[in-house]
Amino acid sequence: MNADNDRHLRADAARNAARIVDAARVVFANLGPDAPLEAIARQAGIGIRTLYRRFPTKEDLLRAVLDKSIAENLTPAIEQSLVDSDPRNGLKTLVEASMSLVVREHNILSAASNAGALTAEVTAPFMDSITDLTLRAQQSGSIRADLEPADMHAIMGMLTGSLWDASARETDWRRNVALVFDGLSPEGASPLPSATLHSRCSGPFDAPPGNN
């Protein structure tokens, strides 16, 4: 009987957690990155104490929301890109998926960045895949050979960073991606300046400080 009760409690806890995460995505999308946790609890149909029992801090909640969003929207694109026989096309597919994620989830990403939930650990699978695909595309001759992994990190920061302005999200960001990939082509490329020590740059999905 105790074992049955324990399973029931764990199942209830899992259902509550899933409801809270789903509610958080709705509330952040509607109210913005500063949405109060009380609004999320109301949307989930639970009390605020129940929310805090499952997610003691806003950072904990946002990390769970991020994990679900990435699993749904970015992980499939990573898997698809890595098995593409054309690494340049795989790289473009993954870049476009990241841009779509920023447009769709900009409030959640902004809130996560402000709360410290958007860490290097979260973005590592994405950036590792970007690096892998870039190296493979260079080996195939479809990406300029003088590009370095840190260059792609900076390029991703510039591309996704351009979408933090609300008006920019209304434009066709695919134009920017097309221009960048033209610049990555070896044909007609001017030699890059010698590489210097790169200063630490923000992650590819980080919102600018104070951005809402």
Side-chain angles (χ1 to χ4, degrees), residues 116-185:
L118 192 53
T119 64
E121 178 186 2
V122 173
T123 60
F126 169 78
M127 289 311 302
D128 288 348
S129 300
I130 287 286
T131 298
D132 179 51
L133 288 164
T134 300
L135 293 174
R136 286 163 52 189
Q138 287 177 310
Q139 291 166 1
S140 73
S142 59
I143 292 288
R144 56 190 301 161
D146 55 355
L147 195 73
E148 296 192 350
D151 296 323
M152 277 306 299
H153 193 151
I155 288 168
M156 286 308 308
M158 288 187 290
L159 281 172
T160 57
S162 69
L163 298 176
W164 288 110
D165 179 79
S167 61
R169 290 193 294 272
E170 301 299 323
T171 65
D172 189 354
W173 49 261
R174 290 175 179 81
R175 290 174 59 87
N176 292 341
V177 173
L179 287 168
V180 163
F181 272 79
D182 278 351
L184 296 180
S185 297

Side-chain angles (χ1 to χ4, degrees), residues 17-33 35 39-40 43-44 61-62 64-74 101 104-109:
R19 291 214 316 264
I20 292 167
V21 168
D22 290 342
R25 295 177 76 175
V26 172
V27 171
F28 281 118
N30 291 336
L31 301 185
I40 295 171
Q43 177 71 25
L61 173 57
L62 282 163
V65 173
L66 270 181
D67 286 345
K68 182 166 186 178
S69 179
I70 289 172
E72 290 179 354
N73 301 304
L74 202 54
L101 178 67
R104 185 169 49 251
E105 306 276 31
H106 63 274
N107 283 344
I108 290 170
L109 290 166

Side-chain angles (χ1 to χ4, degrees), residues 188-206:
S190 301
L192 290 174
S194 298
T196 57
L197 183 65
H198 287 268
S199 60
R200 183 190 180 279
C201 55
S202 60
F205 307 118
D206 281 349

